[in-house]
Amino acid sequence: MDAPVQKAISNIYFRYSIAIGITSHRLTNKKFQRSSIARVYALIVNILTLFLLPIVMWMAESTFSAKRKFPTLILITYNVRYGLTYLVIVYTILSRGFRDTVFKEMQPLIAALYREEQRYGLKLQRTSLQMLLYLKCFTVIWLCVTDSMFLFYARGEMNWLSFATYLFLTNAFNILHMTTMGYFLALWHMATGYSCVKQRLNEIITSNSRDLHELHHLWALHATLTKSVLKINKIYGPQMLATRFESFIYGVIQAYWGTFFAFGVDTPPVIWLIYGCTTYFLHALDFFLIDNICDLLENYQNSMGHSWSERRWRKETNAFVTYANSYRLKLWTCGLFEANRSFWFDMISNVLYYFIMLLQFHLATTK
């Protein structure tokens, strides 16, 4: 779980998260730490973001609307989208301390899993988890860069003020991408924990010896992982609900904008159409990866009893299967919906439905 690439991803995430003020913690030698300087810096960045972001967004909107004469509905949807984005950013900043409790929850688990890895040489065997992490990193980087490019296009004349505005908006809008990345990383580490625990449990159950102390220790670690996943999901629940709603509005409005700029004005070059479609697809994929890791966690936690039931039956095996079948993991967001791939497809279908409604309204108002 501590491969060089994964360690580099973690370092980049924490350094940039500290830079934009969504946390004051960093991961050093398997421990979450924060300094007084980092706490003060994060507080200053948060205050500046809260008070300067509305002004800077108003300046950006004025510059964007002055570039050409847009239909009224384009300007309305622009204000709705970025107004909602600001509200979610405000909530993200104000709830920073609440989300940081995740680090306290993860700290003992990371230490315990590291000890298991050192004792038995356990390694992350699931290539699918590694690829999932790399794909998530790619989508986050792409979205951060493309948002930056759009803001660069929307700026006015290039001077020190417009450049400072551009940098400020880029970092502020990236807050949402990095916050969901934090949720994904927390769940991803829990998934690697399940994988390593299952690897060690399978070694014990297939061996001839019966190390009951070790077996009970791993069962307890498995149960602790499940409780921690539920706590992490509960802590991030309101944040993910707000971010998911913002992503839903983005999907509807961005599809409408794409249709308008592709067919309603001078046809742009093909490369820009491909670029826009790719960005839209990766934005949808970004949330799919989050719902997918939730599905994987449920499968990893629930599948252990099924895999063991096919082994040679022992009293210890019977006890674990009973535990696994009676304590099934379900990840609900604020008790409203279960985060999984099925819900993601439902959200995409709703995006399509409201996009068609918005497009019909546009056609009706332009006649």
Side-chain angles (χ1 to χ4, degrees):
M1 290 190 293
D2 201 20
V5 176
Q6 296 163 9
K7 186 176 181 180
I9 290 173
S10 179
N11 289 335
I12 292 173
Y13 166 77
F14 279 103
R15 289 179 181 177
Y16 186 59
S17 296
I18 291 174
I20 61 180
I22 62 174
T23 186
S24 58
H25 289 76
R26 58 191 178 92
L27 184 61
T28 305
N29 297 325
K30 304 292 183 180
K31 293 183 179 180
F32 292 105
Q33 301 175 347
R34 62 175 181 173
S35 63
S36 300
I37 296 177
R39 288 198 296 266
V40 173
Y41 171 81
L43 180 61
I44 293 174
V45 172
N46 292 163
I47 293 174
L48 290 176
T49 303
L50 287 174
F51 289 99
L52 293 182
L53 186 56
I55 300 174
V56 176
M57 291 179 70
W58 174 78
M59 294 170 57
E61 191 275 338
S62 300
T63 303
F64 176 78
S65 59
K67 283 184 173 294
R68 66 171 66 184
K69 185 175 178 58
F70 292 107
T72 304
L73 191 57
I74 288 289
L75 299 179
I76 292 175
T77 52
Y78 182 98
N79 292 327
V80 169
R81 176 192 166 185
Y82 287 107
L84 178 61
T85 299
Y86 171 71
L87 293 177
V88 178
I89 290 174
V90 169
Y91 174 78
T92 303
I93 292 174
L94 295 179
S95 61
R96 174 171 64 87
F98 180 60
R99 286 195 316 277
D100 281 352
T101 58
V102 167
F103 300 126
K104 296 180 181 179
E105 184 65 36
M106 292 182 62
Q107 180 61 68
L109 271 176
I110 289 180
L113 292 173
Y114 180 67
R115 287 194 299 268
E116 296 298 321
E117 180 181 326
Q118 294 297 103
R119 287 169 60 192
Y120 300 105
L122 298 178
K123 298 295 181 182
L124 178 57
Q125 293 184 333
R126 293 182 183 270
T127 306
S128 59
L129 278 178
Q130 295 175 330
M131 296 304 299
L132 195 63
L133 176 63
Y134 301 151
L135 185 58
K136 174 65 176 176
C137 292
F138 172 75
T139 59
V140 170
I141 292 173
W142 180 279
L143 293 175
C144 289
V145 171
T146 52
D147 282 353
S148 176
M149 293 180 64
F150 176 77
L151 294 171
F152 186 81
Y153 166 78
R155 83 199 192 301
E157 298 179 359
M158 178 54 71
N159 51 48
W160 70 268
L161 180 59
S162 64
F163 185 73
T165 300
Y166 159 72
L167 288 180
F168 182 84
L169 281 177
T170 297
N171 290 327
F173 289 164
N174 287 345
I175 286 176
L176 300 184
H177 300 313
M178 299 304 293
T179 303
T180 56
M181 182 66 178
Y183 178 64
F184 177 89
L185 285 175
L187 296 185
W188 186 87
H189 277 90
M190 297 298 103
T192 59
Y194 278 125
S195 179
C196 291
V197 170
K198 184 176 182 180
Q199 177 186 346
R200 178 58 184 154
L201 287 172
N202 284 336
E203 292 174 0
I204 294 175
I205 203 66
T206 55
S207 64
N208 294 325
S209 61
R210 293 191 180 187
D211 190 347
L212 296 183
H213 176 75
E214 180 66 18
L215 191 59
H216 292 159
H217 164 70
L218 291 174
W219 285 4
L221 184 56
H222 179 272
T224 303
L225 276 168
T226 301
K227 293 178 181 178
S228 296
V229 169
L230 292 174
K231 289 182 181 179
I232 290 171
N233 186 66
K234 182 178 180 180
I235 291 170
Y236 265 93
Q239 177 66 53
M240 294 307 299
L241 179 63
T243 307
R244 192 181 291 271
F245 181 67
E246 191 272 342
S247 177
F248 172 79
I249 297 300
Y250 168 92
V252 175
I253 293 179
Q254 198 70 12
Y256 164 62
W257 286 0
T259 304
F260 171 79
F261 286 109
F263 303 104
V265 295
D266 295 337
T267 303
V270 176
I271 189 172
W272 283 108
L273 294 176
I274 297 175
Y275 170 79
C277 292
T278 302
T279 301
Y280 191 82
F281 167 76
L282 289 177
H283 187 276
L285 177 63
D286 187 67
F287 255 92
F288 175 81
L289 295 176
I290 295 175
D291 291 335
N292 186 59
I293 196 68
C294 293
D295 256 351
L296 288 178
L297 273 172
E298 294 181 5
N299 292 335
Y300 289 171
Q301 194 271 349
N302 298 334
S303 64
M304 291 194 180
H306 299 296
S307 61
W308 281 25
S309 63
E310 299 172 0
R311 308 289 186 183
R312 181 181 176 184
W313 199 267
R314 298 174 178 175
K315 182 173 67 174
E316 297 82 9
T317 307
N318 181 57
F320 182 82
V321 170
T322 301
Y323 149 75
N325 290 333
S326 62
Y327 197 2
R328 304 183 69 85
L329 181 66
K330 294 293 182 182
L331 298 180
W332 288 78
T333 302
C334 297
L336 298 176
F337 54 84
E338 186 178 354
N340 51 35
R341 285 168 291 190
S342 177
F343 180 79
W344 181 85
F345 285 108
D346 290 340
M347 189 176 75
I348 292 300
S349 63
N350 285 322
V351 166
L352 179 61
Y353 172 76
Y354 284 102
F355 155 66
I356 294 175
M357 288 185 60
L358 188 60
L359 188 61
Q360 289 176 337
F361 185 77
H362 170 84
L363 295 175
T365 54
T366 54
K367 286 184 179 180

